Amino acid sequence: MGIRTVEEYKKSLRDGRRVYLRGEKIEDVTTHPILGVTAETVAQGFALTASEDPEVRNLFTAPHPKTGEPINRYFITPRNTEDLMMRTKMIQRSIELTGGLPFGRDIGTDCLNAAFVVAGQMGKKQYQENALNFLEQARKNDLAMCGAVTCVKGDRSKEPSQQKHPDYYLHVVDKTKDGIVVKGAKIHITSAPVANEIIVVPTRQMRENEADYAVSFAIPANTKGIVFICRGGRGAWTEHEFHPDYPARELTEAMIVFDNVFVPWERVFMCGEWQFSMLLAYTFATFHRFTAISYKVPAVEAMAGCAVAMAEYNGLEKVGHIRDKIADIAGYVETLRALTNASAKDPVMYAEIAVPNPLITNMAKLHFAGKYHEFVKLIQDIAGGIIATSPDKKDWENPDIHDYLEHYLGGSARYSTEERLRMIHATQRMLCSHEAAFHEVTTVHAEGSMAAQKMMILAEAPLKRYREMAKRSAGISS
Amino acid sequence: MGIRTVEEYKKSLRDGRRVYLRGEKIEDVTTHPILGVTAETVAQGFALTASEDPEVRNLFTAPHPKTGEPINRYFITPRNTEDLMMRTKMIQRSIELTGGLPFGRDIGTDCLNAAFVVAGQMGKKQYQENALNFLEQARKNDLAMCGAVTCVKGDRSKEPSQQKHPDYYLHVVDKTKDGIVVKGAKIHITSAPVANEIIVVPTRQMRENEADYAVSFAIPANTKGIVFICRGGRGAWTEHEFHPDYPARELTEAMIVFDNVFVPWERVFMCGEWQFSMLLAYTFATFHRFTAISYKVPAVEAMAGCAVAMAEYNGLEKVGHIRDKIADIAGYVETLRALTNASAKDPVMYAEIAVPNPLITNMAKLHFAGKYHEFVKLIQDIAGGIIATSPDKKDWENPDIHDYLEHYLGGSARYSTEERLRMIHATQRMLCSHEAAFHEVTTVHAEGSMAAQKMMILAEAPLKRYREMAKRSAGISS
Amino acid sequence: MGIRTVEEYKKSLRDGRRVYLRGEKIEDVTTHPILGVTAETVAQGFALTASEDPEVRNLFTAPHPKTGEPINRYFITPRNTEDLMMRTKMIQRSIELTGGLPFGRDIGTDCLNAAFVVAGQMGKKQYQENALNFLEQARKNDLAMCGAVTCVKGDRSKEPSQQKHPDYYLHVVDKTKDGIVVKGAKIHITSAPVANEIIVVPTRQMRENEADYAVSFAIPANTKGIVFICRGGRGAWTEHEFHPDYPARELTEAMIVFDNVFVPWERVFMCGEWQFSMLLAYTFATFHRFTAISYKVPAVEAMAGCAVAMAEYNGLEKVGHIRDKIADIAGYVETLRALTNASAKDPVMYAEIAVPNPLITNMAKLHFAGKYHEFVKLIQDIAGGIIATSPDKKDWENPDIHDYLEHYLGGSARYSTEERLRMIHATQRMLCSHEAAFHEVTTVHAEGSMAAQKMMILAEAPLKRYREMAKRSAGISS
Amino acid sequence: MGIRTVEEYKKSLRDGRRVYLRGEKIEDVTTHPILGVTAETVAQGFALTASEDPEVRNLFTAPHPKTGEPINRYFITPRNTEDLMMRTKMIQRSIELTGGLPFGRDIGTDCLNAAFVVAGQMGKKQYQENALNFLEQARKNDLAMCGAVTCVKGDRSKEPSQQKHPDYYLHVVDKTKDGIVVKGAKIHITSAPVANEIIVVPTRQMRENEADYAVSFAIPANTKGIVFICRGGRGAWTEHEFHPDYPARELTEAMIVFDNVFVPWERVFMCGEWQFSMLLAYTFATFHRFTAISYKVPAVEAMAGCAVAMAEYNGLEKVGHIRDKIADIAGYVETLRALTNASAKDPVMYAEIAVPNPLITNMAKLHFAGKYHEFVKLIQDIAGGIIATSPDKKDWENPDIHDYLEHYLGGSARYSTEERLRMIHATQRMLCSHEAAFHEVTTVHAEGSMAAQKMMILAEAPLKRYREMAKRSAGISS
């Protein structure tokens, strides 16, 4: 088939998977008030590949490298800067076109691309073939997939083997002729409840005595023993908010429990090769942070736009300190964009696979995460307290008080009160809501904490070169 | 009466006031799902003054300066450092004792204290008497009151008289033998829908041609022409969250519309004396920011405690970068505490009234607001992504998945999973919820924006002294 | 000739120019204790083009576009990313190869390249020819040149025409058949006293009534009426410091007074076209900030190296908070490098001329300037107080106390005390000396202040795009 | 005598001490170009106590607690807030009155006060008596003293006993009936070469196996075996700078080598009591940081004054972003002042001795050190590049170019060019000179690094209280 329709995708989710949310078991994720929004959000990725607009279709699909048949472009393993730039562009355009982030293949292929790199470095042909076969299956069946990386970790000061029980990190508990049995739980897994396949990679470097924890594989979401426990999200628009003319978009994370799950050998990409667990975690992190910095660009552009618009609606766009803050806001956004592009333009090659520049990618992620709260503060400062205390759409519609709101909530005379109120609501959603706080936390923690980025910066930066330059200045021979 | 009971207070709110919330008219604010929580929160202030614990009662009540009868201590106009320190202590203890902020008199007396200062400076005996009589009425009837300061402002780049219509700032539209008629709207007014009285002061300095806007008065909440349009809040605890053993606490803001409201002369504290509008706005701001820095101390202490506790529950309390962050967190909290006390210890006297040190008060507010987002980031960083994606209490209670959660969501073995989950929920409420984002915005905007604090720092700091010192270093005679 | 020797260059500076320094008139700049070091530093640029190492020679020279004869590569007007990358590379390599910054053509060609762009936009053929003829002259005679941009400015709150006298900005005071007469003073002009030619461009946008101030030209340094008043610099190494095995390098700035200087028409690139003064100032700023961000990379690399080395020499390289600081240090350096390259890789084309990306260039400069002091603090923190109070080389050589120093000033046993002391001296030079403070100030002010960069970021960032994205999120049709 | 004259003090320095500077042995420190300035600076402390102005004399002297005879007030051991406030006031006034910091007893009594606290806690009467007797000697003979704390430390990752040799930390190498023999070197010791006495305390906590390193004593500067190796400073004003009408002031640090120095028992305050080394180091640090935050207030006031004045001289005092920066500058200065006063107003009592509040003192020091570079940047930004490249006084005096300078270096017409030039020179001295960079480093490192302050903040902040508040919010019983 190669390219599935939205309906085909949705139908594939009614497969008996075990999903819980807010204490209840969900029978059909596609029709649930919250998960239905998530399914619809991811489904937009299928709408894009099936678009009638050739510009859109040609961006989101690509010819299969061998057969030439159209496949989803995320299934193109990047071989050069152009492929990486296309990935960035796809991510950014998908947000622009759908109003949300149809994360159905991004993180899964971040895992898979890392698995390819590592399989190549391990020199284990079987793993390479397994990964390639799985990719072909994904291309052919146009599979939605999530990437399951972060283990629950228990006591963070202890290694996997020192924990109260061995299951705080996912591990192999049995091996048979046909496959392996794994146990553990992965947490914070984006879009997991609406994926067809789960790609698992280790959450960190493993040591020799942790070989059972060095495991990577792909597994269908409805496999026996797999349970999804989901975050409760916001769901659809409410009648109390002004909203855009497209449906609410949302991704939902889940904790995925692997309760002695069987994985056949042909789906295994690593099993015990602890020496390569570091490279796998590290390469995944690079691919994944590249995905992150790509999707954050349009996210922060829209937020920056709230500052620009609210300044105008409030009549403040020419005030010195407001302009100064907008310059800082723009600097934050454009530094992110420039570094994102730079990491694609200066890739590191592993055999034929192009990995985004790890140093620049990690700096971009750290830029984004480390300065996000300051960016938020600037926009909240410009927008005003009204984004916290604004009346809602039902107030506006109540004839008893409508005229008061119309009369008193105007700003610059160039805009109508309703227009201003709509912008207030959009700004509230992005900067003064549960989602706003949620994004602060995910900005800090998704794709690894800032400490993780600093670790990789230390590993990748040319510290020796710096030192040699200092020694030369000091007149010390090396 | 002097000291009312909780029930007397609640009964007084059923007075025919016009209140709207989420598009609906509220007939009884004390029983509404959201405003009932607000009423109960403010009612705690009455519970404290009626406490059977003498330590509590003696803190929150004081003898009337003349009659010796017990009155609410907020109605003591501060005359020295001790009075100011008592105000800080009352605010902080009320939070510790009730779990919330029973803001029933704080802001109202901030306004009233400012009105006293200004009436004294104006030398208009009638205004002084009006204010004093009103204070006696408040003392005698133990009134709950809100302070209504911020006008809706329209186009922020334009003076009141240049706006599309004259009502963006509250102003006098008529004067009669018996009183004045005012029109306009005040916004973001904390606890307004559950106050007995509204104290109005100008939102800013007014010029000569804006004399009608230089108006201050007190007015009962159910006066004809007054309409409250409230923010929709969170209301009571839900079954989805772990929560403490006291009820949810919440303050609700309202926009107050003054639709040609009549105010009798004996309730007027300023009417046309534009030359003193600056002093009134300025003195109110100082009193009010002092209130703010006082209540923020316990608020940020509890947030800091989430960082300390989560570090321990996650097993991270000895990690270098975590300790470094906790030092920064503590430094933020304790600098606020030290500056708050310092502003009480170095007051500025206006006749017999002690105003908290304006320079230190504004620096403390700017410290609090300017570095809050960084403080939030540090705690979110320590707490982990789990505060964003945590399962809820109903998940925990569902036997299908309870054991998975118990098994996988443990942290340091010194604590139970349930304990950790409870702390995760508390941290989520404070740092990853609608309220968390809401507090960021109010931190920036409540009690005036950071630009307002900088303006007062420039006015109060000894810039001339600095310059003279530099000139001396330069060998320039003054 | 095309390529001059060091001696030819030095000889050309003995041309009767009027130069003052520390209150004295300098007869021969090449032999003066301070200016001699400057002349020698710039002379290194000639040594590089005359290098016997073909890799070096081929980098710093290029074939003349028409004749194919070797010319200095700075005289190649950039036409694409590769030309811009070569400029960056030249600048960086020249520092690595000579230990200093042989700024003999960089800023001059920044001016000249901007003049080409503007002449093209003005459509005035004569100016284009003048500029081209001057470039040919420079290529042929291998001229050293400085760029004179910043006027002395008088009262910064006043336009040129409102000042106490008209000369605070350089302007045309007379025009004749043969040329123009200019008056004014340019300040902070790097390497001016050792340049052959001075290229003048306006310091800012000029208005219609300021047409006389919209003037650009090239003029030999020994022209009648030109006076150089130089900053006193540090000069050669002293016997009190450990130093590298190459001579001290230094650039010296001068105020250049134009005391009714005659400029022939064929040397004029703008005269009265005030409408284009903005584009000229703006384009110069972009070229020049690109030069700046290029040379800062090796400068801050060496400083970063002091942190890396001192951490090791002090035995602290594995301490958590030290590693954290080194990650921040590396992030600062590498963000600068990444943005510098990005600005070359995404140029803006004016006809055939490639201008470095103005948005990225300005962000890179702002990154560099805005965070430099924090970078300095981190290195000073790691290096320790010893860089402030270190004994000097003469102490080390005094047998009375040598053994004490050897015994007590050791650090990690892996390094000798002398090695540590040498690194302390290098770090002191870069981070605790007059030059260290001087570089802080020039970082902030050279190539325009941070306010200037913010102004250009506001002009170049896609604010409208941000706003449209916010409006779409708000459901507002554009 | 009680109070010595300047001449008596200077004479006392000609006592045979062994002093080296810039590789040379100094025979008379009072007449040396650099150390003479230091001696004169410290001598100002004697001028103040001998002042004919009773306000001055009464501030800097106090009646002996027992005899009532006038003694230097630094020799009053603080017993309450008032004593601590007087210490702050003395330090600040001495700078205002003399233009420098006459550090002749401050740090010595910081050590001695800490020794008193610790002797009391140890309960060793002999040490108490020794300290008291030494204090009486100091009072009687009006001794200048320095505090020697920081050891040279060798490899910072190693304990004293693990080092290449045992002498990287000062330690006892022999004990006799009459006294002890010590070996080691103390570094960065302010004003050491012009002190009469050296007070030694341990640089850090010592462990059980480091008892020999737990040693504290007082010793005359000319004792056999003591060698001073001094930093080369700037010395007197030069003819190239505009300067104030008082002499240049300077303190000079030294490394003090203790080459098997004999200390009689009656001068010993600790010897082997390693359990108390932490308390001694910690209490000294608190006293000393209190001294530091006191003297920094006038230091940063003068720097802030440069910003205020340069903004005016440049005509920029009304520009928005300049005012914003001045507000930040003032906030930095006044937060320091407020915290300094707060630490005196909330002391911790050890028996009868008042120790400045350790938490607030350390926060104040961290505020000062952590934000100093940003403060510097703001002032440099406002002052302009001219503080880097300004012509000097000899240029101004050269008639050839004087008129050019007068004509072109004017700023706001309200000030003369000479006045502006004088302020430029003062700003240059404070913000763009070797001293400017030197002060950055000492700001970070003097009185302990920022890591040391964070350690004490973690020890002193009420982390448990925070945690209990969070637990209450979480519904967790303690």
Side-chain angles (χ1 to χ4, degrees), chain A residues 212-384:
Chain A
D212 285 343
Y213 294 87
V215 60
S216 174
F217 56 86
I219 190 86
N222 65 345
T223 303
K224 195 181 157 212
I226 289 180
V227 180
F228 299 90
I229 304 173
C230 304
R231 173 173 75 89
R234 60 150 284 159
W237 305 128
T238 75
E239 59 183 3
H240 288 281
E241 63 192 317
F242 289 100
H243 56 73
D245 52 8
Y246 51 83
R249 303 298 184 200
E250 180 171 49
L251 297 174
T252 305
E253 303 77 35
M255 178 161 91
I256 312 179
V257 179
F258 293 81
D259 190 354
N260 293 298
V261 171
F262 173 78
V263 185
W265 280 115
E266 62 267 25
R267 286 299 200 94
V268 174
F269 312 137
M270 171 181 279
C271 182
E273 294 81 2
W274 60 271
Q275 304 92 328
F276 290 90
S277 58
M278 163 98 167
L279 181 63
L280 184 47
Y282 199 97
T283 309
F284 163 72
T286 302
F287 272 116
H288 188 39
R289 286 170 198 165
F290 179 70
T291 294
I293 57 182
S294 298
Y295 81 72
K296 295 294 193 190
V297 172
V300 296
E301 281 185 304
M303 293 168 76
C306 292
V308 172
M310 286 301 298
E312 290 170 354
Y313 290 14
N314 289 339
L316 289 170
E317 75 274 18
K318 288 183 184 155
V319 172
H321 74 90
I322 299 290
R323 282 179 63 77
D324 197 66
K325 284 163 189 163
I326 290 178
D328 286 341
I329 285 168
Y332 171 82
V333 174
E334 298 303 323
T335 296
L336 180 63
R337 192 198 310 274
L339 291 177
T340 300
N341 292 342
S343 72
K345 287 185 183 169
D346 195 9
V348 171
M349 298 302 299
Y350 279 89
E352 292 187 319
I353 304 172
V355 179
N357 188 286
L359 177 56
I360 300 176
T361 299
N362 276 282
M363 290 195 311
K365 173 62 177 57
L366 185 58
H367 165 79
F368 173 70
K371 292 167 196 154
Y372 182 75
H373 289 69
E374 185 66 22
F375 171 72
V376 161
K377 182 176 80 175
L378 292 170
I379 304 173
Q380 291 171 338
D381 192 6
I382 290 172

Side-chain angles (χ1 to χ4, degrees), chain D residues 21 60 164 248 317 400 467:
Chain D
L21 190 150
F60 290 94
K164 197 168 67 172
E317 75 275 18
D400 282 7
R467 187 182 49 209

Side-chain angles (χ1 to χ4, degrees), chain B residues 206-340:
Chain B
M206 297 297 169
R207 310 239 161 95
E208 188 161 6
N209 67 339
E210 298 159 353
D212 286 342
Y213 294 89
V215 59
S216 174
F217 56 87
I219 191 84
N222 65 346
T223 301
K224 195 181 159 215
I226 290 180
V227 179
F228 298 90
I229 304 172
C230 305
R231 172 175 74 90
R234 61 150 282 159
W237 305 129
T238 74
E239 60 183 1
H240 289 281
E241 62 192 317
F242 288 100
H243 57 73
D245 52 9
Y246 50 84
R249 303 299 184 199
E250 180 171 50
L251 297 174
T252 306
E253 301 77 35
M255 178 161 90
I256 311 179
V257 178
F258 293 81
D259 189 354
N260 293 297
V261 172
F262 172 77
V263 186
W265 279 115
E266 61 268 24
R267 287 299 201 91
V268 174
F269 312 137
M270 171 181 277
C271 181
E273 294 81 1
W274 61 271
Q275 305 92 329
F276 291 90
S277 58
M278 163 98 168
L279 181 63
L280 184 47
Y282 199 96
T283 310
F284 162 72
T286 302
F287 272 116
H288 188 40
R289 286 170 198 165
F290 179 70
T291 294
I293 57 182
S294 297
Y295 80 72
K296 294 294 192 191
V297 172
V300 295
E301 282 186 303
M303 293 168 76
C306 292
V308 173
M310 286 301 298
E312 291 170 354
Y313 290 14
N314 289 340
L316 289 170
E317 75 275 17
K318 288 183 184 155
V319 172
H321 74 90
I322 299 290
R323 281 179 64 77
D324 197 67
K325 283 163 189 163
I326 290 178
D328 285 342
I329 286 169
Y332 172 82
V333 174
E334 298 303 322
T335 296
L336 180 62
R337 192 199 310 275
L339 291 177
T340 300

Side-chain angles (χ1 to χ4, degrees), chain B residues 96 312 334 466 472, chain D residues 96 312 334 466-467 472:
Chain B
E96 291 170 18
E312 291 170 354
E334 298 303 322
Y466 302 166
R472 190 168 173 232
Chain D
E96 291 169 17
E312 291 170 354
E334 298 303 323
Y466 302 166
R467 187 182 49 209
R472 192 169 172 233

